[in-house]
Amino acid sequence: MKKLISVLVITLAFTLNTNAQDKMMKDSKATVVTLEQTKGEFTQKEVTLEAGAYIFEIENNNVGHQVGFVLMPKGKDASKPENHIQTAYVTKVVDNNSKETSNITNLEKGEYVYFCPMNPTPQYTLIVK
């Protein structure tokens, strides 16, 4: 009987946890923006978005080593991490031939640049209308 109660409690806890995670993802209302990196460049040279919440999915397409992602307001010094929008960093470096995502990043109207210092890539333009 104790075993049956334990199984029911664990099942209930797992179900509640899964439902809470699903609700958080649905409530986030963040749009996923996928950006692909190849050797020395992003394949998307410019991105235009509406103001809102975004998750950046970075794809490493056979670069041959790990890559990352940096987003910052245009005109800022890229060498200073305090100028980077840290929520846009991928949560884990992107291994060769894999994908990783950022946290939810809220973008307001303006111009931004994105790049990868690990690849390295040029700075590309992201416009938020």
Side-chain angles (χ1 to χ4, degrees):
M1 184 67 169
K2 287 182 181 180
K3 191 174 186 178
L4 177 63
I5 291 172
S6 295
V7 169
L8 289 173
V9 168
I10 291 170
T11 303
L12 179 61
F14 179 75
T15 302
L16 291 174
N17 186 38
T18 301
N19 288 341
Q21 288 177 353
D22 288 345
K23 183 173 177 7
M24 281 177 40
M25 290 301 287
K26 289 177 185 172
D27 288 347
S28 72
K29 296 187 175 140
T31 301
V32 176
V33 175
T34 301
L35 298 171
E36 176 190 41
Q37 286 190 55
T38 58
K39 290 183 183 187
E41 67 180 355
F42 279 89
T43 56
Q44 298 83 352
K45 309 298 186 211
E46 183 173 301
V47 177
T48 302
L49 304 170
E50 298 293 324
Y54 294 92
I55 294 172
F56 293 94
E57 179 182 68
I58 307 304
E59 179 181 353
N60 179 336
N61 187 355
N62 203 30
V63 172
H65 55 80
Q66 295 176 327
V67 301
F69 178 70
V70 174
L71 178 68
M72 60 180 229
K74 188 173 186 174
K76 299 277 185 170
D77 183 350
S79 68
K80 295 184 177 181
E82 61 268 22
N83 292 331
H84 302 173
I85 300 172
Q86 295 186 4
T87 57
Y89 289 161
V90 286
T91 57
K92 179 179 176 259
V93 293
V94 187
D95 290 327
N96 195 46
N97 295 317
S98 66
K99 298 176 185 179
E100 295 295 337
T101 58
S102 71
N103 290 309
I104 296 172
T105 302
N106 292 304
L107 296 178
E108 298 176 357
K109 184 179 178 179
E111 287 192 45
Y112 301 83
V113 294
Y114 62 95
F115 61 97
C116 176
M118 298 170 70
N119 198 352
T121 69
Q123 292 184 5
Y124 300 100
T125 303
L126 186 145
I127 299 169
V128 178
K129 293 183 176 183

